[in-house]
Amino acid sequence: MTTTSPASPQPSIDTAGYLLALGGAALFSTKGIFIKLAFAAGVSTEATLALRMLVALPVYLVILVSLLRRNPQVRSLITPARLAASMAVGALGYYLSSYLDFAGLAFVSAQYERLVLFTYPFFVLLFGVWFFGDRMSWNLVPPMLLSYGGLMVIFAWNLTVQPDGLWIGTLLVLGSALTFALYQHLARLQMLVLGSALFTCIGMSTAAVLAIGQSLIVDGVESYFDFTPYIWFLGLMLGIFGTVLPSFLLNAAITRIGARATSSTASFGPIITIVLAVVILGEAFTWVHALGTAMVLFGSWLFARRESRNRAIAE
């Protein structure tokens, strides 16, 4: 007589964690549109980043003070070493990465910038394997190659139609993707100790001070008195919807489901950016863009699906 063993229970999916990641990715996708509008209004790269941080900094400081006053035990978590580490990681992910991205947008379209930046999940995977003890999942390589093939299709088209600044713009945005991928791993280590909200406030406040200080040196204080209400409005939108809300959502997602799973859910973002870029900025969208975008998004979707499957098996 044979008996059948009961089926092993399926690992549960953290739905809330994935929803947080999707919400953060969707809001971050509006960033390029506001930046392009600010550039069109004559605002410099440094000043645009500073406007974003001027709006965001008070919010993070208020939340930070509230966290420290409401829960005195939190103060014991902030040792000098942890504070310095959180500030350094925040400067990497929210200052250096953001500045490279903003600088790259001065040379390339918002659609293309988003697709290049969209490759950061692949770097998250590679950094995890190289530096953080993750296992390599070889079934993720074909989706990666497919997405990079789509980028090459659009890059080749841009090279024949509008080559000016394409190389430097691509390298700057690619640098942003690299630094943001490294940030995701380093940030998770800090958030496991401090929590996502406390770390986000420390990291973003540090990045804000650096960005504002850079702009004051490059642009001067007097330049801010010449900004129109429209420019301040763009800064407000960029600070709230392109910075504060998505930063908390993504960091909370990283805490719940990890850096690799969070990065794999970002495929929704480029679609929003493309639609907004075409409708608001009037950017072209040809069959070449459609082919390249489809390759990037399908590769990313396949990457996310296989990553989720690998994660479920591992758990």
Side-chain angles (χ1 to χ4, degrees), residues 122-188:
F122 309 148
F123 297 126
V124 171
L125 168 66
L126 295 177
F127 287 154
V129 173
W130 293 340
F131 306 120
F132 297 94
D134 291 350
R135 295 182 61 183
M136 182 61 185
S137 301
W138 292 104
N139 65 337
L140 299 178
V141 174
M144 291 168 58
L145 296 177
L146 179 61
S147 289
Y148 277 110
L151 281 180
M152 292 305 299
V153 168
I154 301 177
F155 180 85
W157 183 87
N158 287 337
L159 200 59
T160 59
V161 175
Q162 194 175 3
D164 295 341
L166 181 61
W167 280 102
I168 186 173
T170 301
L171 290 175
L172 286 169
V173 179
L174 204 57
S176 177
L178 281 165
T179 51
F180 189 69
L182 181 59
Y183 155 82
Q184 289 223 327
H185 283 289
L186 297 175
R188 177 171 171 79

Short mmCIF file of all heavy atoms in Angstrom, two decimals, residues 122-188:
data_model
loop_
_atom_site.label_atom_id
_atom_site.label_comp_id
_atom_site.label_asym_id
_atom_site.label_seq_id
_atom_site.Cartn_x
_atom_site.Cartn_y
_atom_site.Cartn_z
N PHE A 122 19.33 44.73 -12.78
CA PHE A 122 20.37 43.81 -13.19
C PHE A 122 21.65 44.06 -12.38
O PHE A 122 22.35 43.12 -12.01
CB PHE A 122 20.66 43.95 -14.69
CG PHE A 122 19.43 43.87 -15.55
CD1 PHE A 122 19.34 44.58 -16.74
CD2 PHE A 122 18.34 43.09 -15.18
CE1 PHE A 122 18.20 44.51 -17.53
CE2 PHE A 122 17.21 43.01 -15.97
CZ PHE A 122 17.13 43.72 -17.15
N PHE A 123 21.94 45.32 -12.12
CA PHE A 123 23.11 45.64 -11.31
C PHE A 123 22.90 45.23 -9.86
O PHE A 123 23.85 44.86 -9.16
CB PHE A 123 23.43 47.14 -11.40
CG PHE A 123 23.79 47.60 -12.79
CD1 PHE A 123 23.12 48.65 -13.38
CD2 PHE A 123 24.78 46.96 -13.51
CE1 PHE A 123 23.44 49.08 -14.66
CE2 PHE A 123 25.12 47.37 -14.79
CZ PHE A 123 24.45 48.43 -15.37
N VAL A 124 21.65 45.32 -9.39
CA VAL A 124 21.35 44.83 -8.04
C VAL A 124 21.68 43.35 -7.93
O VAL A 124 22.29 42.89 -6.95
CB VAL A 124 19.86 45.07 -7.70
CG1 VAL A 124 19.48 44.38 -6.39
CG2 VAL A 124 19.56 46.57 -7.58
N LEU A 125 21.31 42.59 -8.96
CA LEU A 125 21.61 41.16 -8.99
C LEU A 125 23.13 40.93 -8.97
O LEU A 125 23.63 40.14 -8.17
CB LEU A 125 21.00 40.53 -10.24
CG LEU A 125 21.45 39.11 -10.58
CD1 LEU A 125 21.00 38.12 -9.52
CD2 LEU A 125 20.94 38.70 -11.96
N LEU A 126 23.85 41.62 -9.85
CA LEU A 126 25.28 41.39 -9.97
C LEU A 126 26.02 41.81 -8.70
O LEU A 126 26.91 41.10 -8.22
CB LEU A 126 25.83 42.15 -11.18
CG LEU A 126 25.31 41.67 -12.54
CD1 LEU A 126 25.87 42.55 -13.66
CD2 LEU A 126 25.67 40.21 -12.78
N PHE A 127 25.67 42.98 -8.14
CA PHE A 127 26.32 43.42 -6.90
C PHE A 127 26.04 42.46 -5.76
O PHE A 127 26.89 42.21 -4.90
CB PHE A 127 25.85 44.83 -6.52
CG PHE A 127 26.42 45.92 -7.40
CD1 PHE A 127 25.75 47.11 -7.57
CD2 PHE A 127 27.63 45.74 -8.05
CE1 PHE A 127 26.27 48.11 -8.37
CE2 PHE A 127 28.17 46.73 -8.85
CZ PHE A 127 27.49 47.92 -9.01
N GLY A 128 24.80 41.92 -5.74
CA GLY A 128 24.46 40.96 -4.69
C GLY A 128 25.32 39.71 -4.76
O GLY A 128 25.74 39.18 -3.73
N VAL A 129 25.59 39.25 -5.98
CA VAL A 129 26.43 38.07 -6.17
C VAL A 129 27.89 38.38 -5.86
O VAL A 129 28.58 37.60 -5.19
CB VAL A 129 26.28 37.54 -7.62
CG1 VAL A 129 27.27 36.41 -7.88
CG2 VAL A 129 24.86 37.07 -7.87
N TRP A 130 28.37 39.52 -6.33
CA TRP A 130 29.79 39.86 -6.19
C TRP A 130 30.19 40.25 -4.76
O TRP A 130 31.26 39.88 -4.30
CB TRP A 130 30.16 41.00 -7.13
CG TRP A 130 30.10 40.64 -8.58
CD1 TRP A 130 30.14 39.37 -9.12
CD2 TRP A 130 29.97 41.53 -9.69
NE1 TRP A 130 30.04 39.43 -10.49
CE2 TRP A 130 29.95 40.74 -10.89
CE3 TRP A 130 29.88 42.91 -9.81
CZ2 TRP A 130 29.84 41.30 -12.15
CZ3 TRP A 130 29.78 43.48 -11.08
CH2 TRP A 130 29.76 42.68 -12.23
N PHE A 131 29.32 41.00 -4.09
CA PHE A 131 29.73 41.62 -2.83
C PHE A 131 28.92 41.22 -1.61
O PHE A 131 29.35 41.47 -0.48
CB PHE A 131 29.68 43.15 -2.97
CG PHE A 131 30.47 43.69 -4.12
CD1 PHE A 131 29.84 44.42 -5.12
CD2 PHE A 131 31.84 43.47 -4.21
CE1 PHE A 131 30.57 44.92 -6.19
CE2 PHE A 131 32.57 43.96 -5.28
CZ PHE A 131 31.94 44.70 -6.27
N PHE A 132 27.71 40.66 -1.79
CA PHE A 132 26.83 40.46 -0.65
C PHE A 132 26.41 39.01 -0.45
O PHE A 132 25.45 38.72 0.26
CB PHE A 132 25.59 41.36 -0.78
CG PHE A 132 25.91 42.82 -0.76
CD1 PHE A 132 26.09 43.52 -1.95
CD2 PHE A 132 26.06 43.50 0.44
CE1 PHE A 132 26.40 44.87 -1.93
CE2 PHE A 132 26.37 44.85 0.47
CZ PHE A 132 26.55 45.54 -0.72
N GLY A 133 27.11 38.10 -1.09
CA GLY A 133 26.88 36.68 -0.83
C GLY A 133 25.64 36.07 -1.44
O GLY A 133 25.26 34.96 -1.06
N ASP A 134 25.00 36.75 -2.39
CA ASP A 134 23.84 36.17 -3.05
C ASP A 134 24.28 35.09 -4.04
O ASP A 134 25.40 35.14 -4.56
CB ASP A 134 23.05 37.25 -3.80
CG ASP A 134 22.36 38.22 -2.85
OD1 ASP A 134 22.34 37.95 -1.64
OD2 ASP A 134 21.86 39.25 -3.33
N ARG A 135 23.40 34.17 -4.32
CA ARG A 135 23.69 33.14 -5.31
C ARG A 135 23.30 33.64 -6.70
O ARG A 135 22.28 34.31 -6.86
CB ARG A 135 22.92 31.86 -4.99
CG ARG A 135 23.34 31.18 -3.70
CD ARG A 135 22.57 29.90 -3.47
NE ARG A 135 22.82 28.95 -4.55
CZ ARG A 135 22.21 27.77 -4.64
NH1 ARG A 135 21.32 27.40 -3.70
NH2 ARG A 135 22.47 26.95 -5.64
N MET A 136 24.09 33.27 -7.68
CA MET A 136 23.79 33.67 -9.05
C MET A 136 22.69 32.80 -9.62
O MET A 136 22.74 31.56 -9.53
CB MET A 136 25.05 33.54 -9.92
CG MET A 136 24.84 33.97 -11.37
SD MET A 136 24.35 35.73 -11.45
CE MET A 136 24.04 35.91 -13.20
N SER A 137 21.69 33.43 -10.20
CA SER A 137 20.60 32.73 -10.85
C SER A 137 20.79 32.87 -12.36
O SER A 137 20.46 33.92 -12.94
CB SER A 137 19.24 33.31 -10.42
OG SER A 137 19.08 33.22 -9.01
N TRP A 138 21.31 31.84 -13.00
CA TRP A 138 21.67 31.94 -14.41
C TRP A 138 20.45 32.06 -15.31
O TRP A 138 20.57 32.51 -16.46
CB TRP A 138 22.52 30.74 -14.81
CG TRP A 138 23.86 30.76 -14.15
CD1 TRP A 138 24.29 30.00 -13.10
CD2 TRP A 138 24.97 31.63 -14.47
NE1 TRP A 138 25.58 30.34 -12.74
CE2 TRP A 138 26.02 31.34 -13.58
CE3 TRP A 138 25.16 32.63 -15.43
CZ2 TRP A 138 27.24 31.99 -13.61
CZ3 TRP A 138 26.38 33.29 -15.48
CH2 TRP A 138 27.41 32.96 -14.58
N ASN A 139 19.28 31.65 -14.82
CA ASN A 139 18.09 31.79 -15.67
C ASN A 139 17.65 33.25 -15.80
O ASN A 139 16.74 33.56 -16.57
CB ASN A 139 16.94 30.95 -15.11
CG ASN A 139 16.46 31.43 -13.75
OD1 ASN A 139 17.20 32.09 -13.02
ND2 ASN A 139 15.24 31.08 -13.39
N LEU A 140 18.32 34.16 -15.07
CA LEU A 140 18.02 35.59 -15.19
C LEU A 140 18.86 36.27 -16.26
O LEU A 140 18.58 37.43 -16.61
CB LEU A 140 18.25 36.29 -13.85
CG LEU A 140 17.41 35.82 -12.67
CD1 LEU A 140 17.79 36.58 -11.40
CD2 LEU A 140 15.93 36.00 -12.96
N VAL A 141 19.86 35.59 -16.77
CA VAL A 141 20.75 36.21 -17.76
C VAL A 141 20.04 36.48 -19.09
O VAL A 141 20.17 37.58 -19.66
CB VAL A 141 22.00 35.35 -17.97
CG1 VAL A 141 22.85 35.91 -19.11
CG2 VAL A 141 22.81 35.29 -16.68
N PRO A 142 19.27 35.53 -19.67
CA PRO A 142 18.58 35.84 -20.94
C PRO A 142 17.66 37.06 -20.87
O PRO A 142 17.68 37.89 -21.79
CB PRO A 142 17.80 34.54 -21.23
CG PRO A 142 18.61 33.48 -20.58
CD PRO A 142 19.12 34.10 -19.31
N PRO A 143 16.83 37.23 -19.81
CA PRO A 143 16.04 38.46 -19.74
C PRO A 143 16.89 39.72 -19.68
O PRO A 143 16.52 40.75 -20.26
CB PRO A 143 15.24 38.28 -18.44
CG PRO A 143 15.18 36.83 -18.22
CD PRO A 143 16.47 36.29 -18.73
N MET A 144 18.02 39.66 -19.00
CA MET A 144 18.91 40.81 -18.94
C MET A 144 19.43 41.16 -20.34
O MET A 144 19.42 42.33 -20.75
CB MET A 144 20.09 40.51 -18.01
CG MET A 144 19.72 40.41 -16.55
SD MET A 144 21.05 39.71 -15.52
CE MET A 144 22.38 40.86 -15.83
N LEU A 145 19.85 40.15 -21.08
CA LEU A 145 20.36 40.39 -22.43
C LEU A 145 19.27 40.93 -23.35
O LEU A 145 19.54 41.79 -24.21
CB LEU A 145 20.94 39.09 -23.00
CG LEU A 145 22.17 38.53 -22.27
CD1 LEU A 145 22.60 37.20 -22.90
CD2 LEU A 145 23.31 39.53 -22.29
N LEU A 146 18.06 40.45 -23.18
CA LEU A 146 16.95 40.93 -24.00
C LEU A 146 16.69 42.42 -23.73
O LEU A 146 16.49 43.21 -24.67
CB LEU A 146 15.69 40.12 -23.70
CG LEU A 146 14.42 40.52 -24.47
CD1 LEU A 146 14.63 40.36 -25.97
CD2 LEU A 146 13.23 39.68 -24.00
N SER A 147 16.70 42.82 -22.46
CA SER A 147 16.47 44.22 -22.13
C SER A 147 17.58 45.11 -22.66
O SER A 147 17.33 46.19 -23.21
CB SER A 147 16.34 44.38 -20.61
OG SER A 147 15.14 43.84 -20.14
N TYR A 148 18.83 44.67 -22.51
CA TYR A 148 19.93 45.47 -23.04
C TYR A 148 19.90 45.52 -24.56
O TYR A 148 20.31 46.52 -25.17
CB TYR A 148 21.27 44.92 -22.54
CG TYR A 148 21.60 45.41 -21.16
CD1 TYR A 148 21.59 44.55 -20.07
CD2 TYR A 148 21.91 46.75 -20.93
CE1 TYR A 148 21.89 45.00 -18.80
CE2 TYR A 148 22.19 47.20 -19.66
CZ TYR A 148 22.19 46.32 -18.59
OH TYR A 148 22.47 46.78 -17.33
N GLY A 149 19.40 44.47 -25.20
CA GLY A 149 19.22 44.51 -26.65
C GLY A 149 18.22 45.59 -27.05
O GLY A 149 18.42 46.29 -28.05
N GLY A 150 17.13 45.71 -26.27
CA GLY A 150 16.16 46.77 -26.54
C GLY A 150 16.76 48.16 -26.39
O GLY A 150 16.47 49.07 -27.18
N LEU A 151 17.59 48.34 -25.36
CA LEU A 151 18.28 49.62 -25.19
C LEU A 151 19.18 49.93 -26.38
O LEU A 151 19.26 51.08 -26.84
CB LEU A 151 19.11 49.61 -23.91
CG LEU A 151 18.38 49.84 -22.59
CD1 LEU A 151 19.37 49.79 -21.43
CD2 LEU A 151 17.64 51.16 -22.59
N MET A 152 19.86 48.91 -26.89
CA MET A 152 20.76 49.12 -28.02
C MET A 152 19.99 49.51 -29.28
O MET A 152 20.48 50.29 -30.10
CB MET A 152 21.58 47.86 -28.27
CG MET A 152 22.60 47.55 -27.18
SD MET A 152 23.73 48.95 -26.88
CE MET A 152 24.50 49.10 -28.50
N VAL A 153 18.78 48.98 -29.44
CA VAL A 153 17.95 49.35 -30.59
C VAL A 153 17.64 50.85 -30.55
O VAL A 153 17.81 51.56 -31.55
CB VAL A 153 16.65 48.53 -30.59
CG1 VAL A 153 15.65 49.10 -31.60
CG2 VAL A 153 16.94 47.07 -30.92
N ILE A 154 17.20 51.34 -29.39
CA ILE A 154 16.87 52.76 -29.28
C ILE A 154 18.13 53.61 -29.36
O ILE A 154 18.13 54.70 -29.95
CB ILE A 154 16.11 53.02 -27.97
CG1 ILE A 154 14.82 52.20 -27.92
CG2 ILE A 154 15.78 54.51 -27.82
CD1 ILE A 154 14.04 52.34 -26.64
N PHE A 155 19.22 53.14 -28.74
CA PHE A 155 20.47 53.88 -28.78
C PHE A 155 20.96 54.04 -30.22
O PHE A 155 21.39 55.13 -30.62
CB PHE A 155 21.53 53.14 -27.95
CG PHE A 155 22.87 53.83 -27.91
CD1 PHE A 155 23.12 54.83 -26.99
CD2 PHE A 155 23.87 53.48 -28.81
CE1 PHE A 155 24.35 55.46 -26.95
CE2 PHE A 155 25.10 54.11 -28.78
CZ PHE A 155 25.34 55.10 -27.84
N ALA A 156 20.88 52.96 -31.02
CA ALA A 156 21.33 53.03 -32.41
C ALA A 156 20.47 54.01 -33.21
O ALA A 156 20.98 54.77 -34.04
CB ALA A 156 21.28 51.64 -33.04
N TRP A 157 19.16 54.02 -32.95
CA TRP A 157 18.28 54.96 -33.65
C TRP A 157 18.62 56.39 -33.26
O TRP A 157 18.71 57.27 -34.12
CB TRP A 157 16.83 54.64 -33.30
CG TRP A 157 15.83 55.50 -34.03
CD1 TRP A 157 15.29 55.26 -35.27
CD2 TRP A 157 15.24 56.73 -33.58
NE1 TRP A 157 14.41 56.26 -35.61
CE2 TRP A 157 14.36 57.18 -34.58
CE3 TRP A 157 15.37 57.48 -32.42
CZ2 TRP A 157 13.62 58.35 -34.47
CZ3 TRP A 157 14.64 58.65 -32.29
CH2 TRP A 157 13.78 59.08 -33.30
N ASN A 158 18.81 56.64 -31.97
CA ASN A 158 19.17 57.99 -31.52
C ASN A 158 20.52 58.42 -32.09
O ASN A 158 20.73 59.60 -32.37
CB ASN A 158 19.22 58.04 -29.99
CG ASN A 158 17.85 58.01 -29.35
OD1 ASN A 158 16.86 58.36 -29.99
ND2 ASN A 158 17.78 57.56 -28.11
N LEU A 159 21.43 57.47 -32.25
CA LEU A 159 22.76 57.78 -32.75
C LEU A 159 22.70 58.27 -34.19
O LEU A 159 23.53 59.10 -34.61
CB LEU A 159 23.66 56.55 -32.65
CG LEU A 159 25.17 56.78 -32.67
CD1 LEU A 159 25.60 57.68 -31.52
CD2 LEU A 159 25.90 55.44 -32.60
N THR A 160 21.74 57.81 -34.97
CA THR A 160 21.61 58.24 -36.36
C THR A 160 20.77 59.50 -36.50
O THR A 160 20.94 60.25 -37.45
CB THR A 160 20.98 57.13 -37.21
OG1 THR A 160 19.68 56.80 -36.68
CG2 THR A 160 21.85 55.89 -37.20
N VAL A 161 19.86 59.73 -35.56
CA VAL A 161 18.93 60.86 -35.67
C VAL A 161 19.42 62.07 -34.88
O VAL A 161 19.44 63.20 -35.38
CB VAL A 161 17.52 60.45 -35.19
CG1 VAL A 161 16.58 61.65 -35.20
CG2 VAL A 161 16.98 59.34 -36.07
N GLN A 162 19.82 61.87 -33.62
CA GLN A 162 20.22 62.97 -32.75
C GLN A 162 21.38 62.51 -31.87
O GLN A 162 21.21 62.23 -30.68
CB GLN A 162 19.04 63.44 -31.89
CG GLN A 162 19.27 64.77 -31.21
CD GLN A 162 18.04 65.26 -30.48
OE1 GLN A 162 17.02 64.57 -30.44
NE2 GLN A 162 18.12 66.44 -29.91
N PRO A 163 22.59 62.46 -32.43
CA PRO A 163 23.72 61.89 -31.69
C PRO A 163 24.34 62.82 -30.65
O PRO A 163 25.08 62.36 -29.78
CB PRO A 163 24.73 61.59 -32.80
CG PRO A 163 24.44 62.61 -33.85
CD PRO A 163 22.96 62.83 -33.80
N ASP A 164 24.05 64.13 -30.73
CA ASP A 164 24.69 65.10 -29.84
C ASP A 164 24.40 64.78 -28.37
O ASP A 164 23.24 64.76 -27.95
CB ASP A 164 24.23 66.52 -30.16
CG ASP A 164 24.65 66.98 -31.54
OD1 ASP A 164 25.59 66.37 -32.08
OD2 ASP A 164 24.05 67.93 -32.08
N GLY A 165 25.45 64.55 -27.63
CA GLY A 165 25.30 64.32 -26.19
C GLY A 165 24.79 62.95 -25.81
O GLY A 165 24.60 62.68 -24.61
N LEU A 166 24.56 62.09 -26.80
CA LEU A 166 23.96 60.78 -26.50
C LEU A 166 24.89 59.91 -25.66
O LEU A 166 24.45 59.28 -24.69
CB LEU A 166 23.59 60.06 -27.80
CG LEU A 166 22.92 58.69 -27.63
CD1 LEU A 166 21.61 58.81 -26.88
CD2 LEU A 166 22.68 58.04 -29.00
N TRP A 167 26.16 59.88 -26.01
CA TRP A 167 27.10 59.04 -25.27
C TRP A 167 27.24 59.50 -23.82
O TRP A 167 27.13 58.70 -22.90
CB TRP A 167 28.47 59.05 -25.95
CG TRP A 167 28.56 58.14 -27.13
CD1 TRP A 167 28.49 58.48 -28.46
CD2 TRP A 167 28.71 56.72 -27.12
NE1 TRP A 167 28.60 57.37 -29.26
CE2 TRP A 167 28.74 56.27 -28.47
CE3 TRP A 167 28.84 55.77 -26.11
CZ2 TRP A 167 28.89 54.93 -28.82
CZ3 TRP A 167 28.98 54.43 -26.44
CH2 TRP A 167 29.01 54.02 -27.78
N ILE A 168 27.49 60.79 -23.64
CA ILE A 168 27.68 61.28 -22.27
C ILE A 168 26.40 61.16 -21.46
O ILE A 168 26.42 60.82 -20.27
CB ILE A 168 28.21 62.74 -22.28
CG1 ILE A 168 28.55 63.17 -20.84
CG2 ILE A 168 27.21 63.69 -22.90
CD1 ILE A 168 29.24 64.52 -20.77
N GLY A 169 25.25 61.43 -22.10
CA GLY A 169 23.98 61.28 -21.39
C GLY A 169 23.72 59.85 -20.96
O GLY A 169 23.28 59.59 -19.83
N THR A 170 24.02 58.89 -21.85
CA THR A 170 23.83 57.48 -21.53
C THR A 170 24.75 57.05 -20.39
O THR A 170 24.32 56.35 -19.46
CB THR A 170 24.10 56.61 -22.77
OG1 THR A 170 23.21 56.99 -23.82
CG2 THR A 170 23.90 55.14 -22.45
N LEU A 171 26.01 57.48 -20.45
CA LEU A 171 26.97 57.10 -19.40
C LEU A 171 26.58 57.69 -18.05
O LEU A 171 26.72 57.03 -17.01
CB LEU A 171 28.37 57.55 -19.80
CG LEU A 171 29.01 56.78 -20.97
CD1 LEU A 171 30.34 57.40 -21.34
CD2 LEU A 171 29.18 55.31 -20.63
N LEU A 172 26.08 58.93 -18.05
CA LEU A 172 25.67 59.55 -16.79
C LEU A 172 24.49 58.81 -16.17
O LEU A 172 24.48 58.53 -14.96
CB LEU A 172 25.32 61.02 -17.03
CG LEU A 172 26.48 61.97 -17.27
CD1 LEU A 172 25.98 63.33 -17.76
CD2 LEU A 172 27.30 62.16 -15.98
N VAL A 173 23.48 58.50 -16.97
CA VAL A 173 22.31 57.79 -16.44
C VAL A 173 22.69 56.37 -16.04
O VAL A 173 22.18 55.84 -15.04
CB VAL A 173 21.17 57.79 -17.48
CG1 VAL A 173 19.96 57.03 -16.93
CG2 VAL A 173 20.76 59.21 -17.83
N LEU A 174 23.58 55.74 -16.80
CA LEU A 174 24.04 54.41 -16.43
C LEU A 174 24.79 54.45 -15.11
O LEU A 174 24.66 53.55 -14.27
CB LEU A 174 24.95 53.85 -17.53
CG LEU A 174 25.08 52.33 -17.63
CD1 LEU A 174 23.73 51.67 -17.83
CD2 LEU A 174 26.02 51.96 -18.77
N GLY A 175 25.57 55.52 -14.89
CA GLY A 175 26.23 55.70 -13.60
C GLY A 175 25.23 55.86 -12.48
O GLY A 175 25.44 55.36 -11.36
N SER A 176 24.13 56.53 -12.76
CA SER A 176 23.07 56.66 -11.77
C SER A 176 22.46 55.31 -11.42
O SER A 176 22.20 55.01 -10.26
CB SER A 176 21.97 57.59 -12.30
OG SER A 176 20.89 57.69 -11.40
N ALA A 177 22.25 54.47 -12.44
CA ALA A 177 21.71 53.13 -12.20
C ALA A 177 22.66 52.28 -11.36
O ALA A 177 22.25 51.55 -10.46
CB ALA A 177 21.42 52.44 -13.53
N LEU A 178 23.96 52.40 -11.65
CA LEU A 178 24.96 51.63 -10.90
C LEU A 178 24.99 52.04 -9.43
O LEU A 178 24.97 51.19 -8.53
CB LEU A 178 26.34 51.84 -11.52
CG LEU A 178 26.66 51.03 -12.78
CD1 LEU A 178 27.89 51.61 -13.49
CD2 LEU A 178 26.91 49.57 -12.43
N THR A 179 25.03 53.33 -9.17
CA THR A 179 25.10 53.80 -7.79
C THR A 179 23.82 53.52 -7.03
O THR A 179 23.85 53.21 -5.84
CB THR A 179 25.41 55.31 -7.75
OG1 THR A 179 24.50 56.02 -8.61
CG2 THR A 179 26.83 55.59 -8.22
N PHE A 180 22.68 53.59 -7.71
CA PHE A 180 21.41 53.31 -7.04
C PHE A 180 21.30 51.83 -6.70
O PHE A 180 20.73 51.46 -5.66
CB PHE A 180 20.23 53.74 -7.91
CG PHE A 180 18.91 53.69 -7.19
CD1 PHE A 180 18.62 54.58 -6.18
CD2 PHE A 180 17.95 52.75 -7.53
CE1 PHE A 180 17.41 54.54 -5.51
CE2 PHE A 180 16.74 52.69 -6.87
CZ PHE A 180 16.46 53.59 -5.86
N ALA A 181 21.82 50.97 -7.58
CA ALA A 181 21.80 49.53 -7.29
C ALA A 181 22.65 49.21 -6.08
O ALA A 181 22.24 48.42 -5.20
CB ALA A 181 22.29 48.75 -8.51
N LEU A 182 23.83 49.80 -6.00
CA LEU A 182 24.69 49.59 -4.83
C LEU A 182 24.03 50.14 -3.57
O LEU A 182 24.08 49.53 -2.49
CB LEU A 182 26.04 50.26 -5.05
CG LEU A 182 27.07 50.11 -3.93
CD1 LEU A 182 27.37 48.65 -3.66
CD2 LEU A 182 28.34 50.87 -4.27
N TYR A 183 23.37 51.29 -3.72
CA TYR A 183 22.65 51.90 -2.58
C TYR A 183 21.60 50.95 -2.02
O TYR A 183 21.44 50.84 -0.80
CB TYR A 183 21.98 53.20 -3.02
CG TYR A 183 20.79 53.58 -2.18
CD1 TYR A 183 20.97 54.22 -0.96
CD2 TYR A 183 19.49 53.27 -2.58
CE1 TYR A 183 19.87 54.55 -0.16
CE2 TYR A 183 18.40 53.59 -1.80
CZ TYR A 183 18.60 54.23 -0.59
OH TYR A 183 17.52 54.54 0.19
N GLN A 184 20.88 50.24 -2.90
CA GLN A 184 19.79 49.38 -2.42
C GLN A 184 20.30 48.29 -1.47
O GLN A 184 19.67 47.98 -0.47
CB GLN A 184 19.07 48.75 -3.61
CG GLN A 184 18.25 49.74 -4.40
CD GLN A 184 16.89 49.19 -4.78
OE1 GLN A 184 16.73 48.00 -5.02
NE2 GLN A 184 15.90 50.04 -4.83
N HIS A 185 21.45 47.72 -1.79
CA HIS A 185 22.01 46.71 -0.90
C HIS A 185 22.50 47.33 0.41
O HIS A 185 22.24 46.79 1.50
CB HIS A 185 23.19 46.00 -1.60
CG HIS A 185 22.77 45.00 -2.61
ND1 HIS A 185 22.19 43.79 -2.27
CD2 HIS A 185 22.83 45.02 -3.96
CE1 HIS A 185 21.92 43.10 -3.37
NE2 HIS A 185 22.31 43.82 -4.40
N LEU A 186 23.23 48.42 0.31
CA LEU A 186 23.76 49.06 1.52
C LEU A 186 22.64 49.61 2.40
O LEU A 186 22.72 49.56 3.63
CB LEU A 186 24.72 50.18 1.13
CG LEU A 186 25.97 49.75 0.37
CD1 LEU A 186 26.77 50.97 -0.07
CD2 LEU A 186 26.83 48.83 1.22
N ALA A 187 21.59 50.14 1.77
CA ALA A 187 20.47 50.69 2.54
C ALA A 187 19.74 49.61 3.32
O ALA A 187 19.31 49.84 4.46
CB ALA A 187 19.50 51.41 1.60
N ARG A 188 19.61 48.44 2.74
CA ARG A 188 18.91 47.35 3.44
C ARG A 188 19.63 47.00 4.73
O ARG A 188 18.98 46.75 5.76
CB ARG A 188 18.80 46.13 2.53
CG ARG A 188 18.15 44.92 3.22
CD ARG A 188 17.86 43.81 2.25
NE ARG A 188 17.43 42.60 2.93
CZ ARG A 188 16.22 42.37 3.42
NH1 ARG A 188 15.31 43.31 3.32
NH2 ARG A 188 15.93 41.23 4.00
#
